Structure formats: C-alpha cells, structure tokens
Amino acid sequence: MSNLAALDQAHSLHPWTHFDGFEAAAPMVISRGEGCYLWDDHGTRYLDAVGGLWCTNIGLGRAEMAQAIADQALKLGFSSTFVDMTNDPAALLAAKLAEIAPGNLNRVHFTTGGSTAIDSAYRMAQFVQAARGFTGRTHVIARQHSYHGSTFVAMSVGMRNGDRAAEFTYKTDTIHHVSAPYVYREGATTEALVAEFEAKIAEVGAEKVAAFFAEPIQASGGVLVPPDDYLRAIWEVCQRHGILFIADEVVTGFGRLGNWFASWDVYGVQPDIICCAKGLSSGYQPIGAVIFSDALWADMAGDRWYTSGFTFSGHPVACAAALKNIEIIAREGLLDHATRMGALFQEGLATLRDLPIVGDVRGHTLIGCVENVADKVTKRALPDAIDIGKRVSDAAEARGLLVRPIGALNVMSPSLIITPEQIEFVVENLGAAIVDVTDALVREGVKIG
C-alpha cells in the first residue's frame, strides 16, 4: 500500500463507504488525468469510461481551463452574491445559461452542486405554489430507481435500490414515488405509467402536489431510458394539474445526449425548472444551478424575501470555469461530436448482448449500461454475494479500463471528446472482462443459463 493510500485509509470517510470493505482493501489513488485517461500513483494508465462521475465532459488536463481558473482566482477569488451583490462571471454565466436553456427558462439560482440544486428546486417549488396562493401544495412526486443527490431532501426525493441505509432517516410524509420506466425488468408501458401517475395524484390530492421530479434518463438508478412518448405524456399530466415539472439534468445536461439539455431537444418537454451541475464545469470546479422560467419569477416577485442560497452561490472562480467550459463545448463542436461518437458507442455496446451473462444493454448517445444476469431467458439475477458488477469492473480495471459497478450493472458515461479508437477499446475490454468473470463463475460452480 502506498503512503497516500494509507493516509487516506486512516483518515478519510468517502461517499458511499462500505466500512468493512474500505478497511480491508487499499483505495486507488488517482494522481493525474489527461483527456479520457487517468493515472494512479503507481503510474498505471486507465481509460476512464465513467467520466469521473458523469462529469468530465470536455476531458481532463486542459490548460485553458486551468488558466481561466487561475486568472479569476487572482482577479477575484471570492465575492458574496447575497441580496444585491454579484460578480462578473456570475452575471455572464446566468445570461449564458438563459441563452442555451429551452423556452423561457431565463432565470438562474446558483448552487454548489447537483444535490444542492435539487434541494433548492424542492424549496422553490413550495415557494412558488405558496406565492400563487396554493399554500397546501407542499408534496412532491418522484420515481422509483431515481437518484437526485445526497442532501437530506435530495436523498428523500430519490429512491434508488441500496441507498436507503437503515441508520439514516428520510423525509417521507410529503414525498411520494411512482414506478420508473424500467422497460427491461418491469416492462411497464407509457400508458400504464401515466395511469399510475394520475392515480398517485388523485391519492395525494392534486391540490397538495407542488412538483414532479424526473431525470430524463435515470442515470445512477440503472441508465433507465424511457419510451419516447413517456416524459411528454407525464409532463402533460403535470400541466393539467398545475404541478411544476422539475427536470434533473445534472447528468444529461451539457452534451451527454448530444444537446445542451435533453428535456426539450430529446423528449419534447418544456420544464418549469432544470437542475444542472456536473457537466456545467466538466468537473473542474464544484458548481450547480437551478434554471427556472420567467413565469415562476413573476409568481414569486413582490414584497417577499427568498430566504435560500449558499455562501458559494455564484462563486466567481467556479462561474469562470463554467463559462470557459461552455465556450469549449461550443467552439469544438462537442455536441455534434457526442452525437456521432454516441452512435458508435451504442452500436459497440450492443455487440455485448450475446455474452452469456449480459441480460440487457441500454443507453443513449454517451451514456450506457450493461445489466448482468444469471439467466438471459428468465432474467434471473446472480446472487448479491457474487457482487457481479464489482467483479466485472475489477476485471476491466486489470485491463486498463474503468467502468462503474452499481449492483448487477456496469455503467459508463465517457467524456464527450472520446474517439472511435477509444470506444473500440472500451467495448473490447469490457467484453473481455465479462468473459473473464463468466469463466471464473463457471469454475466456481455458479449456474449460468
């Protein structure tokens, strides 16, 4: 174990730590990154098909990003944006987000990341409804298999398998969940999902529901790609009942699906609020935003205070990084590049369907998932103790490839700058890793098929 790994193991509590596992094995220490590649502290190179955490959209090691951050830190390292103060980058970034967001989403509330964006949108929805005179609209509806962040409210809005640790508590009195469009496992149709949503609204009472939260594609919940007409149909239900539609585009924003945002361009939905982070700065600085409509601003305006925000809202260095990031995406045509590479990526991943333990391959543009099973015909799952996703990711890591294990899944969201050759490397080595693991399972006597 390296000295850095030992220090980390002795002193750090990581997000999503499994205590026994963390104490038993040394953490990987990442020391350098360039483009789509990472190097650990032993000098081993990996192609990062995870894209950090769905976020390194423009790739790592860009000198002009570092320069923009350094220049802004020297010029103005911090400035409050409370009440009636702003700074150059914050004002420019708000205007840029209004320019690229769909429809009349022309207002921006800056946060520190995706979780705080969701938390802020939750509060905004209640504020808007109260300002409209609907003080009883304090409930929200979200979906199973969703992940919306790790603050108290964001984790309560989300409902992903394995996230609800018994030692924590969650807000449950005003947060409700309906089925997700998990086509492979649950097979629900748009018609059935919409009917369930309508029934949930009736059960809660439409007069009590403030908002509906939805990721266009449920990322950490298993890369659940909805039927083409599903989100639009749900949005139309929200419109009829006066329920705000909040699009969680923390993952899908800034090029992941080949557009600035996926809600309108991909699914034909005009949200009332978009939450974004991750690709907003491509991970170079922590920043998030709640982008909301002029109509919501008009509803909230008047002789009242909006008592929500953060010390680092509109942080000048983070905003400067986001501005440079958006400039790079536009200048280099990365939205179109993502669309072209995404077609190759999906085509390549589809070739893994024939492998004995691959039950499903799904994704869209530069987001993908392989679901591993014991039996392809019955979709029978492998025992949890096998930890199949981690076994596959470990085998891929040994081949110089990083993919993310989530239960039985291996998910990917590579940088938008990925090349055809790198896509070929991902597909070839993920496939080989799955074969390696399958062979090992057979030797261990695990029944496959």
Side-chain angles (χ1 to χ4, degrees):
M1 182 188 305
S2 71
N3 183 54
L4 290 171
L7 289 172
D8 184 87
Q9 198 172 40
H11 301 292
S12 295
L13 174 61
H14 291 248
W16 270 257
T17 286
H18 180 269
F19 288 97
D20 283 350
F22 184 73
E23 292 177 348
M28 175 186 283
V29 179
I30 298 298
S31 296
R32 185 164 72 89
E34 182 178 339
C36 295
Y37 293 101
L38 297 171
W39 284 261
D40 66 19
D41 60 341
H42 300 293
T44 305
R45 189 182 79 164
Y46 306 91
L47 196 155
D48 178 20
V50 188
L53 267 179
W54 323 88
C55 64
T56 57
N57 292 18
I58 64 169
L60 297 171
R62 285 187 175 257
E64 62 179 312
M65 284 295 289
Q67 192 63 56
I69 290 167
D71 289 346
Q72 184 58 50
L74 286 171
K75 180 181 179 184
L76 179 66
F78 175 79
S79 177
S80 169
T81 59
F82 272 45
V83 189
D84 59 356
M85 291 182 68
T86 189
N87 57 72
D88 302 8
L92 292 169
L93 180 58
K96 176 57 69 173
L97 291 176
E99 177 188 328
I100 64 177
N104 65 347
L105 271 63
N106 294 318
R107 304 285 181 158
V108 180
H109 178 64
F110 287 118
T111 69
T112 58
S115 298
T116 49
I118 292 294
D119 226 287
S120 297
Y122 173 89
R123 298 196 70 197
M124 182 178 287
Q126 294 185 335
F127 192 99
V128 167
Q129 297 289 11
R132 288 175 173 176
F134 304 127
T135 54
R137 284 189 182 258
T138 58
H139 293 241
V140 303
I141 300 174
R143 299 177 297 182
Q144 302 287 340
H145 305 296
S146 61
Y147 177 77
H148 292 287
S150 62
T151 57
F152 177 64
V153 163
M155 187 61 82
S156 299
V157 172
M159 183 63 81
R160 189 178 67 151
N161 294 341
D163 278 346
R164 293 295 178 100
E167 295 81 3
F168 284 126
T169 61
Y170 305 89
K171 184 170 180 60
T172 59
D173 55 335
T174 60
I175 298 176
H176 314 271
H177 296 87
V178 293
S179 297
Y182 195 167
V183 177
Y184 173 68
R185 280 283 173 196
E186 299 168 6
T189 63
T190 293
E191 182 181 11
L193 292 167
V194 170
E196 181 190 358
F197 185 48
E198 291 267 27
K200 177 61 71 174
I201 293 170
E203 174 192 327
V204 176
E207 74 283 357
K208 294 181 180 179
V209 182
F212 172 70
F213 283 81
E215 304 159 86
I217 290 176
Q218 291 179 237
S220 294
V223 186
L224 303 186
V225 182
D228 290 342
D229 59 348
Y230 162 77
L231 280 173
R232 176 79 183 191
I234 292 289
W235 174 77
E236 289 172 351
V237 173
C238 292
Q239 293 292 104
R240 289 200 301 274
H241 291 291
I243 296 169
L244 301 182
F245 191 104
I246 300 174
D248 178 350
E249 296 228 34
V250 170
V251 168
T252 56
F254 302 97
R256 180 61 48 203
L257 302 190
N259 301 277
W260 289 116
F261 298 103
S263 298
W264 177 257
D265 288 332
V266 179
Y267 293 109
V269 170
Q270 177 58 62
D272 297 285
I273 296 171
I274 287 178
C275 295
C276 62
K278 294 189 184 294
L280 173 55
S281 71
S282 287
Y284 278 84
Q285 286 284 286
I287 185 173
V290 177
I291 312 173
F292 61 102
S293 68
D294 289 330
L296 297 195
W297 177 278
D299 288 336
M300 293 188 290
D303 187 16
R304 54 174 65 95
W305 285 90
Y306 191 79
T307 54
S308 183
F310 308 94
T311 298
F312 299 124
S313 293
H315 192 286
V317 178
C319 289
L323 282 166
K324 179 58 68 173
N325 174 66
I326 292 170
E327 175 193 320
I328 290 170
I329 292 173
R331 187 181 73 230
E332 297 186 0
L334 292 183
L335 300 182
D336 289 340
H337 182 77
T339 299
R340 294 193 303 274
M341 294 304 102
L344 294 177
F345 186 56
Q346 298 304 322
E347 180 182 339
L349 291 181
T351 65
L352 304 180
R353 291 182 185 276
D354 294 335
L355 297 177
I357 66 168
V358 173
D360 191 33
V361 175
R362 53 185 179 265
H364 193 303
T365 317
L366 287 179
I367 180 172
C369 172
V370 172
E371 181 162 350
N372 305 290
V373 296
D375 190 301
K376 294 166 71 76
V377 176
T378 65
K379 304 178 185 179
R380 175 171 57 89
L382 286 154
D384 289 344
I386 288 177
D387 201 3
I388 186 62
K390 183 66 165 63
R391 286 185 69 153
V392 170
S393 71
D394 285 348
E397 181 183 313
R399 293 174 169 272
L401 171 67
L402 299 182
V403 297
R404 185 181 178 191
I406 302 178
L409 315 177
N410 291 108
V411 302
M412 292 149 282
S413 54
S415 299
L416 309 187
I417 62 171
I418 195 167
T419 66
E421 294 75 21
Q422 290 169 334
I423 289 171
E424 184 178 352
F425 179 89
V426 172
V427 173
E428 178 182 335
N429 286 278
L430 177 56
I434 293 171
V435 170
D436 291 344
V437 170
T438 304
D439 291 345
L441 292 174
V442 171
R443 290 195 298 271
E444 293 166 19
V446 177
K447 183 178 179 182
I448 303 297

